Amino acid sequence: MFDFVKLLIEAGMPYMQRFFLLFILILSTLSISGCSQKFQDVNDTLNLALFGNEDTVLSQSEINALPYASMYAQIEGGPQAFLVLGLVEPINQFKTHPSTRNQFHSTESQTSSLTTEKQQLKWLSSDKGMLVTQSGRLVKTLNLPHGNLSYISNLDNDPVAIGLHQSNAPQEWTRFIDWQPGYHFGYTLSSRFAPGEKQTIRVNEQLIDVLYIIEHVTVRELDLDFENEFWIDSNTGQVIKSRQKIAPGLPYISTTILKPFA
């Protein structure tokens, strides 16, 4: 398969044609084989064909031609990758008392049978990596090289989700997180959000008016501070770009939404 991909590249086949051809190829291969080594071979092939070690940059026409929502993502120190939205998962989140850590971590503690439906977007890369976002916040990752975020509590009260473009949006937020590798469970993160600064950014060859917002984060147990950055649409509050540290000791992840989920 590697020889086949090299032929496509040497022949000058456009990126998007390679994307569709190899997408079909990987599905065909996985449907006839349960072998983990074969799966790894396919992923290595996709890495060669689509990503490699250089930044991936697509034109507006290539991005718009895809029937899927898409984004750029970049782990600090690594190349920029192109990700597509693989799954939208509705989540029924029960109202809970936010007074104790155990209640934050348990969906069994319910004060009401009423639920509010949320959506988590699962963005896929060619190397089996996954970024999961909720209202633009990275809430979970899988198969990243340096480590992964496995849980965030209290997402209903995240000011990013509520809408930081609104004048009455909350400016503080506390949650608990779990991450790997290692046994990192129930660390307390407290955030303060600085007032938004108006900017204009270019995304997918279009100019967008945004509010640039800095989130100051303190990890109580580690006496550690860091900052997250968000560029949100000044009209809708949608996160267009971000630079987020998903957990202490892990690198920043930058995201840019190219084609939003409708």
Side-chain angles (χ1 to χ4, degrees):
M1 189 182 296
F2 275 102
D3 292 338
F4 173 68
V5 171
K6 288 178 181 177
L7 286 174
L8 296 182
I9 296 173
E10 291 171 359
M13 178 174 284
Y15 177 93
M16 297 308 296
Q17 292 183 27
R18 277 187 276 147
F19 185 95
F20 280 115
L21 182 58
L22 290 167
F23 184 73
I24 295 172
L25 184 60
I26 188 173
L27 291 179
S28 301
T29 303
L30 294 177
S31 66
I32 63 175
S33 173
C35 174
S36 61
Q37 182 59 51
K38 175 63 78 174
F39 186 77
Q40 184 61 51
D41 289 345
V42 172
N43 277 286
D44 290 343
T45 300
L46 280 174
N47 279 330
L48 170 66
L50 304 181
F51 293 93
N53 295 317
E54 299 181 354
D55 287 351
T56 301
V57 179
L58 277 70
S59 69
Q60 183 182 47
S61 59
E62 289 176 317
I63 292 167
N64 293 341
L66 269 177
Y68 310 106
S70 59
M71 70 153 70
Y72 288 139
Q74 184 173 21
I75 297 176
E76 186 178 12
Q80 175 176 274
F82 177 74
L83 279 68
V84 295
L85 180 61
L87 181 65
V88 178
E89 184 175 49
I91 300 171
N92 289 325
Q93 295 184 323
F94 289 85
K95 301 292 186 180
T96 64
H97 288 296
S99 57
T100 69
R101 177 177 306 175
N102 288 338
Q103 285 173 319
F104 268 141
H105 275 74
S106 173
T107 57
E108 299 299 324
S109 300
Q110 301 169 5
T111 61
S112 170
S113 61
L114 297 177
T115 63
T116 56
E117 185 176 272
K118 302 291 182 179
Q119 290 180 330
Q120 289 190 350
L121 308 184
K122 300 188 174 183
W123 307 86
L124 306 176
S125 71
S126 69
D127 58 357
K128 297 183 288 185
M130 179 186 293
L131 303 181
V132 183
T133 62
Q134 185 169 321
S135 302
R137 169 85 60 183
L138 288 167
V139 299
K140 189 174 184 180
T141 64
L142 293 172
N143 298 321
L144 299 189
H146 303 286
N148 290 282
L149 175 66
S150 53
Y151 177 77
I152 298 184
S153 71
N154 199 23
L155 287 170
D156 277 349
N157 293 314
D158 181 2
V160 174
I162 294 171
L164 285 168
H165 64 302
Q166 304 178 76
S167 60
N168 61 346
Q171 300 299 308
E172 296 183 352
W173 178 47
T174 299
R175 70 278 196 192
F176 301 109
I177 70 168
D178 306 335
W179 78 93
Q180 298 172 340
Y183 185 75
H184 302 292
F185 177 82
Y187 283 70
T188 308
L189 273 62
S190 298
S191 293
R192 292 180 297 102
F193 293 83
E197 172 189 322
K198 292 183 179 181
Q199 294 184 0
T200 300
I201 61 174
R202 184 181 296 273
V203 176
N204 194 16
E205 301 179 26
Q206 295 183 334
L207 295 176
I208 304 175
D209 293 328
V210 298
L211 293 176
Y212 170 64
I213 293 174
I214 299 177
E215 177 187 14
H216 303 278
V217 184
T218 298
V219 186
R220 186 178 65 189
E221 290 85 354
L222 301 177
D223 191 24
L224 175 70
D225 298 290
F226 60 87
E227 294 180 346
N228 293 328
E229 300 171 278
F230 295 92
W231 290 259
I232 66 171
D233 189 296
S234 56
N235 295 314
T236 66
Q238 180 185 18
V239 175
I240 307 299
K241 290 180 59 177
S242 73
R243 183 175 182 266
Q244 304 178 53
K245 180 178 282 291
I246 56 174
L250 298 184
Y252 278 95
I253 299 177
S254 298
T255 65
T256 302
I257 298 298
L258 301 170
K259 188 175 182 179
F261 172 65

